[in-house]
Amino acid sequence: MGNMKQKKKKLDGVLKFFVIATIMAAILLVALMGYESRQYLVYSENLDKVAVTVNIQDLTLEDLAFYVVYEENAIEEKALVYDEDNSLAFWNIHTNKVFVKTEARETAMNMAVHDYLFYDEALKCGLALSEEEKEALENRRTDFWEDLYDVQKENLPVSYETLNDSMRKIALAEKYQLKLAQENGTTFAAYGYDGYDYKQWMKENHVKVKVHKKVWDRINLGNITLVHKKQVTIDGEE
């Protein structure tokens, strides 16, 4: 009888150990997942990750690379005017209760979704660039590359060809944007990524956009093609 009690006591001890070990492992896993979710992704090493789904089409970080490079260049220009010696100061200020870098990331996403939708519509309509439009595209490409800082060219997350092709798609998207504006007697800007008519068009066409925040919120905009001495965490705090 005493032997049975001793065995039961040992068995209870083993079970208790496994229960505690399982709980501790679960806590550790949750902690590790939480830590990982707060770490920025290395953009160039995660190009195949899906950043957003538009209707049923997945767009990856590679698909959005142009907008990241473009926004970093546009914001850095303002940042250097704001503080030539410490451009990061501008990236860290608040506008409309959000950090500049957070707003820039949102703008990049909105532009990408807009251009994907209108490029897709352009293809459905059979639109193509005229010779004159192709020439204008080449001029825009030249301006884009000339405007990039040397550090950006050294840290591009994708190839020149990928960015050039994105600009081709944008040119077609803008041709469809102009077509819509002319057909509806409104302005080109009204169908821009932040335009009222564009937002109405999205509603009328039941466009569904799902941003994959576990990927997109881990994009360190401002430190992908640019290099700042200090960095900001995902929450916006140094």
Side-chain angles (χ1 to χ4, degrees), residues 11 15 23 42 53 61 67 69 74 92 124 137 173 181 183 205:
L11 181 61
L15 288 173
I23 293 172
V42 178
T53 301
L61 291 182
Y67 303 93
V69 178
N92 286 343
K124 290 176 183 176
L137 171 59
E183 289 175 350
N205 287 276

Side-chain angles (χ1 to χ4, degrees), residues 18 39 46 72 81 115 122 125 142 158 161 178 195 202 204 229:
F18 277 114
Q39 302 308 299
N46 292 275
E72 287 200 329
V81 173
D115 291 346
C125 292
T142 298
V158 294
E161 291 74 20
L178 180 61
M202 289 182 74
E204 291 167 5
K229 291 181 180 179

Side-chain angles (χ1 to χ4, degrees), residues 43 49-54 59-61 63-68 71 101-117 193 198 202 209-213 215-217 219 221:
Y43 202 101
K49 288 193 181 298
V50 176
V52 60
T53 301
V54 184
L59 301 182
T60 65
L61 291 182
D63 295 322
L64 271 65
F66 172 82
Y67 303 93
V68 168
E71 271 299 288
K101 67 176 298 175
T102 303
E103 189 171 38
R105 190 167 57 216
E106 184 177 346
T107 296
M109 173 60 73
N110 290 339
M111 288 193 298
V113 170
H114 169 276
D115 291 346
Y116 163 75
L117 287 167
Y193 75 90
Y198 164 64
M202 289 182 74
V209 177
K210 179 184 178 182
V211 178
H212 299 273
K213 292 184 176 295
V215 172
W216 191 240
D217 284 357
I219 298 308
L221 202 75

Side-chain angles (χ1 to χ4, degrees), residues 132-185:
E132 185 179 350
E133 289 165 339
K134 288 179 181 177
E135 185 177 338
L137 171 59
E138 287 306 312
N139 291 334
R140 289 179 65 178
R141 282 172 171 162
T142 298
D143 290 341
F144 172 77
W145 291 115
E146 287 181 349
D147 288 344
L148 287 190
Y149 298 103
D150 289 340
V151 66
Q152 288 190 281
K153 294 175 184 176
E154 294 169 3
N155 292 294
L156 291 177
V158 294
S159 67
Y160 276 62
E161 291 74 20
T162 297
L163 296 178
N164 277 333
D165 191 52
S166 291
M167 285 184 265
R168 176 189 64 83
K169 292 177 179 179
I170 290 169
L172 271 172
E174 290 180 346
K175 185 163 185 173
Y176 182 77
Q177 183 176 335
L178 180 61
K179 180 177 181 293
L180 267 184
Q182 291 173 339
E183 289 175 350
N184 292 286

Side-chain angles (χ1 to χ4, degrees), residues 15-34:
L15 288 173
K16 186 177 181 182
F17 170 79
F18 277 114
V19 169
I20 293 174
T22 301
I23 293 172
M24 292 301 292
I27 291 172
L28 180 60
L29 180 61
V30 171
L32 286 172
M33 289 175 64

